[in-house]
Amino acid sequence: MQANDVRVLKSAALPTLVVGAVAAIVAFFLTGGKGVIGALVGLALVGVFFSISVVVVSYAARISPQMMAAAAMVSYLVKVVVIMVMLSTFGDTTVWNPRAFAWSVVICTIVWTAAEVRAFVKTKMLYVDPDAKVPGQGDS
């Protein structure tokens, strides 16, 4: 992973962790201990999925820009499908509060995405290679 990718990962993970903790506290007051478990499971799901996605896209970026785009789209599709399966599979669970779980997933996903976008915007990266040679120009 490049330094920029680590910075983006940390910039997205920390606010999500804070919001997930707040969601767990709110869930405790609204639904009790099962709400806390649901909120924390939702936080863990979002954290793991989005972290894996950043790592996969970072690895693919070293191969080629086309591979990076494909990896981003495939990882997004896999995340959406697996989260939907989790929500439908555990919708009637009694181990945790499904509503706290679902709201935690939604809120943590929004926070992670917004923080990741903010981190990318603030990252000072060159969009062009300053040492690139343009065919037909230069000293021949």
Side-chain angles (χ1 to χ4, degrees), residues 47-133:
V48 168
F49 275 26
F50 280 85
S51 296
I52 289 172
S53 181
V54 169
V55 171
V56 166
V57 170
S58 173
Y59 177 75
R62 292 188 305 188
I63 298 171
S64 75
Q66 293 83 7
M67 185 65 81
M68 181 180 79
M73 288 188 287
V74 169
S75 69
Y76 178 77
L77 179 65
V78 168
K79 282 188 289 194
V80 168
V81 169
V82 172
I83 287 176
M84 294 305 270
V85 167
M86 291 277 299
L87 287 173
S88 65
T89 302
F90 294 107
D92 296 327
T93 187
T94 58
V95 176
W96 64 70
N97 185 299
R99 191 171 255 173
F101 169 72
W103 277 109
S104 177
V105 167
V106 169
I107 291 168
C108 289
T109 298
I110 291 169
V111 169
W112 183 288
T113 304
E116 196 173 45
V117 167
R118 183 177 184 274
F120 274 119
V121 168
K122 291 184 70 172
T123 300
K124 299 198 184 326
M125 291 177 24
L126 295 175
Y127 294 99
V128 295
D129 184 6
D131 298 326
K133 306 272 190 241

Side-chain angles (χ1 to χ4, degrees), residues 34-52:
K34 289 187 178 189
V36 173
I37 295 170
L40 292 178
V41 169
L43 169 64
L45 181 73
V46 169
V48 168
F49 275 26
F50 280 85
S51 296
I52 289 172

